[in-house]
Amino acid sequence: MITNSATKVLPVKEAIMRSNIKKKTPNKTTSEINRVSLRTVEQLFSYSTKNYSAIGLDIGVDKKGNIWIIEANLKPNTSLFRLLKNPKIYKRIKAYKQKWKQYKKSRV
């Protein structure tokens, strides 16, 4: 299975609504993705003291709505998000990276 060759980029909730995940609502699934993502990043930080500028997670959701971490990217490429129809999403991602940089500076 190739996980890094997107043919279409969709916002998470839209992708979930178009999927065959029927046991959970898009809001419930998105909340679980956020929870799993935060826990994953916490674990990564507990094992490493490196000063990452961003962490990207490749996440899968199976038919039952279970969340799977495929891989963690310590230097994620965010340019793919420019393909989204709504440019505000890409701007939000860039803003998150900026907030992360500010947060790291405040901890020094």
Side-chain angles (χ1 to χ4, degrees):
M1 178 185 310
I2 299 172
T3 61
N4 62 351
S5 62
T7 57
K8 189 168 192 175
V9 179
L10 300 171
V12 173
K13 284 186 182 178
E14 183 178 344
I16 293 167
M17 287 188 294
R18 290 183 177 200
S19 74
N20 59 357
I21 302 167
K22 302 297 180 209
K23 296 200 176 207
K24 297 178 183 174
T25 66
N27 286 339
K28 172 91 170 138
T29 303
T30 302
S31 293
E32 288 184 26
I33 289 171
N34 289 337
R35 182 184 57 78
V36 168
S37 298
L38 290 171
R39 293 291 314 266
T40 301
V41 171
E42 287 172 357
Q43 286 297 308
L44 287 171
F45 284 145
S46 73
Y47 288 102
S48 177
T49 58
K50 288 188 177 181
N51 201 3
Y52 301 115
S53 63
I55 294 177
L57 299 174
D58 291 349
I59 296 174
V61 183
D62 66 23
K63 290 178 184 179
K64 294 180 182 178
N66 297 313
I67 312 301
W68 297 86
I69 301 296
I70 297 166
E71 70 176 335
N73 301 290
L74 302 178
K75 292 184 180 180
N77 181 355
T78 58
S79 64
L80 190 62
F81 295 101
R82 288 183 184 169
L83 300 175
L84 291 168
K85 291 179 184 175
N86 183 348
K88 291 180 182 178
I89 297 172
Y90 179 69
K91 288 179 182 176
R92 186 178 343 145
I93 290 167
K94 298 298 276 186
Y96 288 151
K97 286 178 87 172
Q98 187 61 34
K99 285 181 183 180
W100 175 249
K101 288 178 186 177
Q102 291 170 349
Y103 171 74
K104 286 190 321 182
K105 285 181 184 178
S106 71
R107 291 183 58 202
V108 177

